Amino acid sequence: MSSEIEVVEDVQPLKQLDGVLANGNGYYGGGNNGVVGGFVDDESLRNDVYTVAAYGDLEKLQRLVEYEGRSLSEPDGLGYYALQWAALNNRTAAAQYIIEHGGDIHAADHNGQTALHWSAVRGAIQVADILLQEGARVHAADIYGYQVTHVATQYGQTAFLYHIVSKWNADPDIPDYSGRSPLHWAAYKGFADCIRLLLFLDADRGRQDKEGCTPLHWAAIKGNLEACTVLVQAGKKEDLMITDNSGLTPAQLASEKNHRQVAFFLGNARRLLEKRCDGNSRLGRLSKLSLAPVLLFIILVMLVTYTQSVITASNLPKLTAGFGLLAWMDVFLASAGLVMFYRCSSKDPGYIKMNALDPQNMKDSEPLLKIEINNPILLAGNWSQLCATCKIVRPLRAKHCSTCDRCVEQFDHHCPWVSNCIGKKFQQC
Ligand SMILES: [Zn+2]
Ligand SMILES: [Zn+2]
């Protein structure tokens, strides 16, 4: 399909070069890394600054530069710089040394990518920190308009993305020259954690690229069910209706591409959201109406009827003292039950305070993430604990209730009978 993002072509240079180090030119990588575990059987290759930088062999690098006079500012035969190789493999000491000995942090290869772009491929946070401390431009774009945030999402480096946005103010929602934001890329590649983080950072779900595709279109084209689920859960009915330049919705694109499960999910989600939003239809009103007020009303009517027509009825024989006491005790117990029932349905089940609605945080000019920069849940990589709606990092076992539209601690379920969530505060009763 012509509108498909040409991932292979776009990011090929990096992949190709990984391959060179892993398999080509006499290297036979033993590890997954492509560099680690390899050995060199070609004497001339062992001694070039690019290979040495990629392996992070500082001693050899010093010898090559200081005794043999090799340059660190020249590109290799394919146009890539030693600093890029060090950045790709997170070689901090080598990167620092290269910068101090003539390596240019702004140097770009024929794709316009700098060492910072390369550091995002494998999520080399430490090297990225060094590059940025030394003055690398965080918003540098390559010939396709990819910034470091695009590359991080293309390779699913969520922790790297989080770090670069929260510490260095990289833009998580910038479109490339085709109009695709990092969220488009995360959806296309199916990196659900990246999507969660980007949505948390207020990335635009409805952004359309030059072909009119939203991130949901791309997730549907590739049949990424988890990506679709995350996007739909955080989204609105309108997201499912947007059409691309050829007039197709995400659900139609999914069925055109034969991703039946995704097409079914998107069709179903649309029906559900339509039902929920359409408050005017009889069905919509019914689904919106909670059962607790109805139950309360019925019990109250029955209680009044019982009191008036049985206990105090003038046309019935008078109750004896014993039966009278029993009857009034019934009324008392039923009333107590009603009070309990009311308390159950109006009680706070353990809602977690929303950052999005907190006026104190809204006034704060600092990005939301700064508050959470050292959150142990995020440091441990539990990205599913991010709530894009409430803008919070929720504790473990907490979930977002779609009916209440709030996150609830120790969420069990939303009970339609009491019209309330069953959560932490109910368990404490
Ligand atoms: Zn929530
Ligand atoms: Zn609920």
Side-chain angles (χ1 to χ4, degrees):
M1 185 181 164
S2 60
S3 63
E4 200 150 316
I5 299 174
E6 298 294 339
V7 182
V8 177
E9 269 179 34
D10 289 346
V11 292
Q12 201 174 17
L14 299 178
K15 281 189 172 168
Q16 239 173 20
L17 279 152
D18 288 356
V20 171
L21 274 177
N23 304 311
N25 296 346
Y27 288 80
Y28 300 94
N32 296 329
N33 192 304
V35 174
V36 177
F39 63 89
V40 184
D41 58 2
D42 186 329
E43 194 59 33
S44 68
L45 274 172
R46 193 192 288 175
N47 288 326
D48 77 55
V49 285
Y50 313 103
T51 312
V52 173
Y55 278 84
D57 189 341
L58 190 60
E59 231 171 84
K60 201 176 279 178
L61 191 63
Q62 282 170 331
R63 206 176 57 229
L64 286 172
V65 174
E66 288 163 32
Y67 296 103
E68 297 183 24
R70 305 281 179 91
S71 164
L72 288 171
S73 57
E74 300 292 321
D76 63 11
L78 292 165
Y80 304 111
Y81 292 87
L83 189 55
Q84 287 180 305
W85 288 113
L88 178 68
N89 294 295
N90 202 16
R91 309 297 185 192
T92 43
Q96 189 75 54
Y97 181 83
I98 294 168
I99 295 167
E100 285 164 6
H101 291 81
D104 179 8
I105 40 170
H106 304 301
D109 57 29
H110 54 274
N111 284 315
Q113 296 204 323
T114 62
L116 186 62
H117 284 99
W118 281 41
S119 70
V121 173
R122 286 176 177 157
I125 291 175
Q126 291 86 348
V127 166
D129 273 345
I130 291 176
L131 292 168
L132 289 160
Q133 276 157 13
E134 297 291 339
R137 288 186 299 266
V138 75
H139 299 300
D142 70 2
I143 56 168
Y144 303 104
Y146 301 155
Q147 295 192 1
V148 63
T149 44
H150 289 102
V151 181
T153 44
Q154 283 161 0
Y155 288 88
Q157 300 294 351
T158 315
F160 183 91
L161 182 67
Y162 169 62
H163 183 83
I164 212 93
V165 171
S166 58
K167 190 171 176 194
W168 296 101
N169 294 325
D171 191 340
D173 199 27
I174 186 93
D176 60 21
Y177 296 152
S178 304
R180 291 165 195 143
S181 65
L183 190 57
H184 278 97
W185 280 99
Y188 178 78
K189 293 283 200 134
F191 294 124
D193 283 343
C194 277
I195 299 177
R196 289 188 183 99
L197 178 61
L198 289 165
L199 290 174
F200 183 78
L201 293 168
D202 271 337
D204 183 2
R205 290 186 318 272
R207 185 194 295 280
Q208 289 175 282
D209 63 13
K210 285 189 175 163
E211 278 138 8
C213 289
T214 62
L216 191 57
H217 279 98
W218 286 114
I221 287 169
K222 286 291 281 181
N224 293 324
L225 186 60
E226 195 185 359
C228 286
T229 313
V230 177
L231 284 166
V232 168
Q233 275 173 356
K236 296 212 159 56
K237 187 184 69 169
E238 291 74 36
D239 298 351
L240 295 157
M241 319 277 230
I242 300 175
T243 53
D244 66 1
N245 291 355
S246 50
L248 296 173
T249 62
Q252 287 166 330
L253 271 175
S255 54
E256 190 185 82
K257 287 274 168 188
N258 223 6
H259 301 304
R260 279 188 217 148
Q261 220 183 341
V262 173
F264 175 76
F265 167 77
L266 291 173
N268 219 17
R270 185 171 164 171
R271 272 192 296 279
L272 272 175
L273 285 170
E274 265 169 4
K275 230 187 270 173
R276 200 176 292 167
C277 295
D278 189 7
N280 296 328
S281 76
R282 201 177 293 167
L283 207 67
R285 258 192 306 231
L286 246 177
S287 69
K288 266 191 161 181
L289 193 69
S290 43
L291 291 168
V294 182
L295 280 179
L296 263 172
F297 180 73
I298 293 174
I299 298 171
L300 206 65
V301 168
M302 285 168 80
L303 200 62
V304 172
T305 316
Y306 175 67
T307 317
Q308 288 201 333
S309 316
V310 179
I311 306 179
T312 59
S314 51
N315 53 349
L316 289 177
K318 200 115 180 86
L319 288 172
T320 60
F323 276 113
L325 191 71
L326 265 179
W328 282 111
M329 216 155 85
D330 286 347
V331 174
F332 172 75
L333 286 176
S335 312
L338 266 181
V339 173
M340 296 295 186
F341 185 68
Y342 174 76
R343 281 197 59 195
C344 257
S345 58
S346 59
K347 186 182 166 73
D348 169 8
Y351 290 130
I352 303 169
K353 212 170 108 199
M354 290 168 98
N355 255 342
L357 295 179
D358 189 343
Q360 207 153 16
N361 284 338
M362 295 293 273
K363 266 185 237 155
D364 202 338
S365 58
E366 298 282 294
L368 279 172
L369 256 191
K370 294 237 159 165
I371 308 160
E372 308 281 3
I373 192 160
N374 283 323
N375 190 305
I377 293 175
L378 294 188
L379 292 178
N382 293 327
W383 305 104
S384 57
Q385 299 304 116
L386 286 173
C387 180
T389 314
C390 305
K391 296 274 178 279
I392 51 160
V393 184
R394 54 187 170 222
L396 287 168
R397 289 186 61 201
K399 268 193 184 158
H400 187 87
C401 170
S402 58
T403 314
C404 303
D405 209 23
R406 294 281 299 273
C407 274
V408 181
E409 258 190 287
Q410 296 183 17
F411 177 82
D412 191 275
H413 68 286
H414 183 91
C415 176
W417 297 104
V418 294
S419 309
N420 203 356
C421 266
I422 308 301
K424 187 183 180 182
K425 294 206 174 153
F426 277 89
Q427 287 159 20
Q428 288 169 345
C429 290

